[in-house]
Amino acid sequence: MHDKVGKLIRRRLSGNTRKKNDPTRAGVMISGWGNYGKTASVCSAGAVFEKQWLELHSHLNPRALPGTRDLHAPVVYVSTPVTATPKSLCTSILGFFRAPTRKSATLPELVRQVADSLYDHGVKALILDDISRLRMHRADDQDVLDLMRAFMSLDVTLILTGVNISGIGLLREAKWNKKTRQWEMPPLESTRIHGLEVTQTEHRFELIEIDRFRYTTPKQIAAFVNHLKGIEKHLRLMNATQGMLTGGGMPEYLMRRTGGVIGLLGRLLEDGAQEAMESGKEMIDESLLDEIVLRRDEPEQPPDEPIIPAAPRTAVKKATQAKRPRNTVFDDPGPAARAGA
């Protein structure tokens, strides 16, 4: 999946940077669940592109004006703000450049400042992470999506990453067609009211879904084992042996512990390597990994039942006792009435 994401991003950036007359640049959406390696894959592909682009232009901005400070940043990474608004998104992008902003600045002023910063720094790719924070039932979030589409006309390739992008409304409720092996977007009634905003988003972006490792077919098993071989080569343990992660039943064990999720696999092996060094064992095996807590620590015994204190007796008595009549012996009834009155 990492190679698939990198190939798509390289192809899109390669095509967009060669275009001259196209007013907009097609974007990419990377979707997947948590710990599936979305951000790592995108940032890795962006780093490869940035290195190639800087080497191609001798680490200079080809569009820099003579006499100005050349701060070349081909790739920009920004996390989508929580409860985003167009202003907060602009502020986050400007924060990447450490550009000063005024609190009293209007939205058109911030948009102009963002456009100038992207141009002055020679930005070619704008990565917006955690795009799934947007919810299309909020007016501000719809405005943020409109602003993102506007950035695509600034000679910038927009790369969006998030969880379940196909189901949060950015691309309607997309469905995967097994025959054509493509995402299909069913008709949406709201387009009659809101125009073509959703359709424009669908046509301007290409969606790719990152999956976890599988262990069913020989091809899937080979891919997982090859990934373990790559990790094994980078482990610097004194007693490490060849096939420490790929031999015997270790691949099946790691798949069972992590479910093929790349983030969980990395965390398990990182903690295992630290434990191997601290204990002096200097190697990783199943017995060592059994001591590593991955998701949550399961108690050896079932937790005690919560003790519910009994209600106080005084309260029970007050609730059960009948209300006694009022004692009127000491009440003053006033002067006695005279007979015959």
Side-chain angles (χ1 to χ4, degrees), residues 2 5 9 30 37-47 127 159-161:
H2 175 85
V5 171
I9 292 178
I30 311 299
K38 302 180 298 298
T39 302
S41 299
V42 171
C43 290
S44 177
I127 301 173
I159 303 175
L160 311 180
T161 68

Side-chain angles (χ1 to χ4, degrees), residues 137-151:
H137 66 275
R138 293 196 291 252
D140 286 340
D141 293 6
Q142 295 178 16
D143 294 338
V144 170
L145 182 60
D146 292 337
L147 180 60
M148 291 179 183
R149 285 197 297 267
F151 289 155

